[in-house]
Amino acid sequence: MKKNYGLTNTELQIMELLWESGEPMTFREIMNVATTEWKKTWKVQTLNTFLIGLQKMGLVGTERSRTAYNAYYPIYTKEEHIHNWTKKMVEVCYDNSFSRLVSAFIGNGKLSEEDAEELRKLL
């Protein structure tokens, strides 16, 4: 199962590109990767819609590039995004309750001694 961390497949693909880039990318650079590497036949508006959506989620920022076009960059590292997404999921699904979260994971089963020891170390 692919881990999308609260993103659609395409949003994750764009974020992975920005995370791996290490520097801001212009719209044209992102579109070039989408067309040549990902074999997408997007119109300009399609990519623009994805980038605006990622900006509204607070994941992507923009800055003026050397060519006077906007350059896009990730606001958070992948690890920070996963952490934030996980915290939000626990907040929404389990009312910020650690015990409810653990109960959901173990279900009707029993926590193994090894897992219990790991939890003790964390606490």
Side-chain angles (χ1 to χ4, degrees):
M1 180 167 89
K2 186 167 176 147
K3 298 174 185 172
N4 285 15
Y5 311 109
L7 302 171
T8 67
N9 289 339
T10 302
E11 290 167 341
L12 181 61
Q13 195 171 31
I14 293 167
M15 289 306 300
E16 292 281 2
L17 175 66
L18 294 173
W19 284 322
E20 290 169 11
S21 171
E23 60 184 47
M25 295 180 71
T26 65
F27 185 93
R28 183 175 289 161
E29 290 169 329
I30 298 168
M31 183 62 99
N32 185 46
V33 170
T35 343
T36 58
E37 294 180 30
W38 303 341
K39 307 300 182 209
K40 302 284 187 183
T41 55
W42 289 341
K43 294 184 177 178
V44 168
Q45 188 58 39
T46 304
L47 178 57
N48 194 49
T49 299
F50 281 116
L51 290 170
I52 288 171
L54 290 167
Q55 286 177 293
K56 286 181 179 177
M57 285 186 250
L59 298 176
V60 170
T62 61
E63 65 182 30
R64 284 279 186 197
S65 73
R66 313 165 290 290
T67 59
Y69 293 107
N70 279 346
Y72 299 86
Y73 62 91
I75 293 176
Y76 300 105
T77 65
K78 184 175 183 176
E79 293 73 23
E80 289 169 331
H81 168 66
I82 293 169
H83 177 77
N84 292 338
W85 173 75
T86 303
K87 281 180 65 174
K88 185 69 173 171
M89 184 186 63
V90 171
E91 177 185 321
V92 170
C93 297
Y94 303 104
D95 295 325
N96 266 343
S97 169
F98 179 71
S99 61
R100 286 185 189 170
L101 173 67
V102 172
S103 293
F105 278 103
I106 62 173
N108 292 333
K110 209 172 175 198
L111 205 56
S112 73
E113 189 55 43
E114 187 178 297
D115 287 339
E117 185 57 34
E118 274 190 62
L119 280 174
R120 281 186 207 97
K121 287 178 184 176
L122 287 172
L123 299 174

